Structures are given as C-alpha cells and as structure tokens.
Amino acid sequence: MPRISTLRITRSHKIATAVLVAAGSVTAIAATGSPSEAQTTATRSSISVEPVAAAGIPTAKDAAAKKAAQETAAKEAAAKKAVADRKAAAEKDAAKERSEKQAANRSTERKAVTPKRFANNLDGWIRESLDIMKKKNIPGSYEGLHRNIMRESSGNPNAVNDWDINARNGIPSKGLLQVIQPTFDAYHVKGTPKKLTDPVANITAAANYAADRYGSIDNVDSAY
C-alpha cells in the first residue's frame, strides 16, 4: 500500500476521533444539565415531605385531634352532670323545706283544732279557768283562786247564799266564787258559757271582776 494513502487515512481517522470526542463532550453536558438545575434538584431533595398515611391507618396528627375531641366531650359531660347534680340538690332541699313547712302547719292546725282537756272536777275547773285567763290577760294564780273558792263555796259549784244582803235584795250569790247575776253579766268572759253556776264561767267572771276592783283575785282574802 502506498505511503501517501496511509497518511491520509491517518489524518482522517484523527479528525473523526476529534469530532467524536467533541460530540461526547456535548452529550455529557446535556446529560449533566446546567449548574442551576442541579442546585434546584438538590434543594428539592433537602425539603422534608410529611408522609401520607396509608389507607385506614391514622397519623399522629389524627390521633391528637381525636384525643382532644374526646377530652372536650368528657369536659362537657362533666359540666352537664355538675349542673344536673346542683339542680337535683336544690330541688331536694326545696322539697324538704316544703315538707317541713307542711308538717309544721299540720301540727299548728292540730293544736288549734284540738282543745285542751281538763278534768271535770275542782282542779280541772281551776286549771281551765287559768288557761282562759292567761289568753285574756286576766291576772290570778291557782293558789289565789283555790283559796277564795274554798272560803266562798267549799268547792261546790251549785252553792247559793240565801241569807246575805244580796239574797234579801233578790239577787243571791251563786257558784264557786259566789257571784251575783249583775256582776256575772258585766264581767262575763267571752268564750265561756253564759250560765252563772257554770264552774269555769263563774271563776273567770269573778277573777275578771276582782282584777278590776283589787288588781287580782290573789289580793282578795274576804268577801268582795
């Protein structure tokens, strides 16, 4: 093969090789990309991405939200219960107060309706008279009444004096404390029988008269 031909092939080969190298450089640059693009990619890679929950599996955020909702519901339930408890307690107190008032009213009514019972004898008559005298503000004691009754009639409610001046004037003294009819009528105590010889009516009328004349039946020690 001639030498010249060999040299030409050699040069052509070199040129082709140079072209291939150049082309490879361009391809490498294109594959690598520009510096700015590389930096952007690196920056994007450094940003943390929150993991997305898989279907049906709650994230920590979901769990926290659920817990907060449960705590709020529990607080609301507790508040409602506290209000209900206070209301129930207030109603219970009000019911108790009403019951106590009703019981007190019934007791008062029973006391008002049920009269006191006194024995049907001298002791009972004196005690019943004293009970009435106390309500009417008429002074007198058991001792004062008993002492004067025993002196005037010896405890006989039907005793009649038919010999003194009153008897001679047609208005004899009668009863436990020997009261004449005009005095009885003037000093009769309302609420007692309008009968001169009724034991209680006789005692209270005489005590009322003595209080007006002497300050009290206790101050009487003789005929009055």
Side-chain angles (χ1 to χ4, degrees):
M1 184 177 294
R3 183 181 298 275
I4 295 172
S5 179
T6 301
L7 293 172
R8 286 180 181 174
I9 291 170
T10 303
R11 288 195 187 107
S12 297
H13 179 70
K14 289 180 178 179
I15 292 169
T17 301
V19 172
L20 290 172
V21 171
S25 300
V26 172
T27 301
I29 293 171
T32 304
S34 64
S36 62
E37 289 177 347
Q39 291 175 356
T40 302
T41 301
T43 302
R44 289 174 180 171
S45 298
S46 64
I47 297 174
S48 61
V49 178
E50 183 177 347
V52 178
I57 302 176
T59 63
K61 185 176 181 180
D62 292 336
K66 184 178 180 181
K67 183 179 180 182
Q70 290 175 342
E71 291 176 350
T72 300
K75 289 179 180 178
E76 291 177 351
K80 289 181 180 179
K81 185 177 183 301
V83 171
D85 290 345
R86 287 195 296 271
K87 183 178 179 181
E91 290 176 350
K92 184 177 179 181
D93 291 341
K96 182 179 179 182
E97 184 177 355
R98 286 194 299 271
S99 178
E100 291 175 349
K101 285 183 178 179
Q102 290 172 354
N105 291 337
R106 287 193 295 270
S107 177
T108 302
E109 290 172 359
R110 284 195 297 270
K111 289 180 180 178
V113 172
T114 305
K116 292 181 179 179
R117 294 185 179 276
F118 300 93
N120 187 28
N121 53 33
L122 181 58
D123 178 73
W125 301 330
I126 293 175
R127 293 186 186 281
E128 185 175 355
S129 296
L130 287 170
D131 186 66
I132 296 171
M133 290 164 59
K134 182 178 180 182
K135 294 175 182 177
K136 301 294 184 178
N137 295 317
I138 299 172
S141 66
Y142 187 100
E143 187 278 329
L145 291 174
H146 187 270
R147 171 167 42 82
N148 281 284
I149 287 171
M150 296 309 292
R151 186 188 68 251
E152 295 290 336
S153 66
S154 300
N156 179 10
N158 296 312
V160 177
N161 184 322
D162 56 4
W163 56 267
D164 66 1
I165 186 62
N166 291 319
R168 289 196 293 273
N169 290 332
I171 47 173
S173 302
K174 298 180 180 181
L176 291 173
L177 282 169
Q178 294 294 283
V179 182
I180 59 175
Q181 190 66 51
T183 301
F184 178 82
D185 293 339
Y187 291 93
H188 172 259
V189 177
K190 187 177 181 180
T192 63
K194 289 188 176 182
K195 182 180 179 182
L196 179 58
T197 56
D198 178 85
V200 174
N202 188 277
I203 293 173
T204 53
N208 194 24
Y209 166 75
D212 185 42
R213 287 290 302 273
Y214 307 102
S216 171
I217 190 69
D218 293 351
N219 299 328
V220 178
D221 292 309
S222 60
Y224 59 105

